[in-house]
Amino acid sequence: MTTPNENTDVQTKKIPNDQLELYFDRFTKRFLQTESTNRIDVEVLAPEWGDQFEAERVRVIGITYEPKKNTLDFALENADHRVEGVKEVWTAEDADGFVKSISVVRADGTRDIATINRRAT
């Protein structure tokens, strides 16, 4: 499912789980391995904890999905952030395919929101 945003060239879409591995592999190779100035904020929204920032303005090195473990991993400059029990993944992309944000819904209802800030080199 794709939803165009009326105000910009950003499109929001749900990525089918069977396509997550290839989707994030392509994104990492195309943008994250070639653009070394991208920064990410990762926020976890959980009913029992409230809203927590796991990372703020940290360099993102790569994003991978492991289908056998059903985990989405964010490789960060000084740590990693792992999302287990992935139920749904939504992304917002620029016209050139750069992923500006990722919303992950876990099986327990927790949400992980990652915002990637593209910086000029």
Side-chain angles (χ1 to χ4, degrees):
M1 172 190 286
T2 303
T3 308
N5 185 322
E6 295 175 12
N7 300 325
T8 65
D9 290 332
V10 175
Q11 289 197 344
T12 302
K13 62 183 178 179
K14 181 179 179 183
I15 311 301
N17 284 17
D18 65 347
Q19 295 176 21
L20 290 171
E21 184 176 20
L22 182 59
Y23 179 84
F24 285 111
D25 184 54
R26 285 181 178 165
F27 172 67
T28 294
K29 287 178 181 172
R30 181 171 177 201
F31 294 104
L32 300 182
Q33 291 179 350
T34 60
E35 298 178 15
S36 64
T37 57
N38 297 314
R39 299 286 185 256
I40 193 168
D41 296 323
V42 180
E43 185 177 8
V44 179
L45 306 132
E48 55 280 348
W49 313 323
D51 298 356
Q52 308 260 334
F53 274 93
E54 296 290 315
E56 292 184 81
R57 296 190 177 125
V58 176
R59 183 170 166 253
V60 57
I61 299 164
I63 302 170
T64 56
Y65 177 73
E66 174 55 55
K68 291 180 182 177
K69 295 181 181 179
N70 192 26
T71 59
L72 187 65
D73 291 304
F74 295 84
L76 308 176
E77 186 172 48
N78 57 1
D80 291 339
H81 177 72
R82 174 172 285 170
V83 181
E84 297 178 345
V86 174
K87 182 177 175 186
E88 292 182 356
V89 176
W90 290 81
T91 63
E93 291 182 11
D94 282 336
D96 69 351
F98 185 85
V99 178
K100 296 175 66 87
S101 69
I102 303 164
S103 176
V104 184
V105 180
R106 298 183 193 199
D108 68 0
T110 300
R111 283 189 179 269
D112 294 68
I113 310 293
T115 305
I116 304 172
N117 300 298
R118 190 180 214 178
R119 310 266 176 145
T121 55

